[in-house]
Amino acid sequence: MHLEADEYVAKMQEAAGQVNYLKAKLVELKHGSRPQEIAKANADLSEVQAQFENARVRDRPNAGILAFNISPRCVKSVYARR
């Protein structure tokens, strides 16, 4: 019987924590984000976009060059000079 009581108490504590979290989230939604939070989110977004672009270029290194209709021979000569 004691195990059931412990489980009940744990579930009640979990539910109380969830209620507190949701109350805090509601306050945040009502008041909007602070300028610092918006700036951090924008910085995080910029970082992820840069990582995505780096991965895209790394996985398809000639994709950007081909978009400008540069001949493969020109590309080879540029890489050969490195």
Side-chain angles (χ1 to χ4, degrees):
M1 222 41 179
H2 185 66
L3 181 59
E4 289 177 8
D6 288 344
E7 289 176 9
Y8 175 76
V9 169
K11 287 186 184 231
M12 288 295 295
Q13 289 174 337
E14 182 181 346
Q18 184 70 13
V19 168
N20 289 334
Y21 167 77
L22 291 173
K23 283 181 181 178
K25 192 70 173 168
L26 179 60
V27 169
E28 181 182 326
L29 291 171
K30 283 183 176 179
H31 295 284
S33 298
R34 296 181 302 175
Q36 301 91 331
E37 292 169 332
I38 294 170
K40 170 106 173 60
N42 284 329
D44 291 345
L45 175 62
S46 294
E47 182 179 343
V48 168
Q49 286 173 326
Q51 290 173 356
F52 174 79
E53 184 62 21
N54 287 339
R56 187 186 66 77
V57 170
R58 184 180 56 243
D59 293 341
R60 294 189 57 213
N62 294 329
I65 294 168
L66 295 175
F68 292 103
N69 293 323
I70 298 173
S71 74
R73 196 166 87 209
C74 271
V75 173
K76 287 179 186 177
S77 70
V78 169
Y79 282 117
R81 292 181 194 161
R82 288 185 176 181

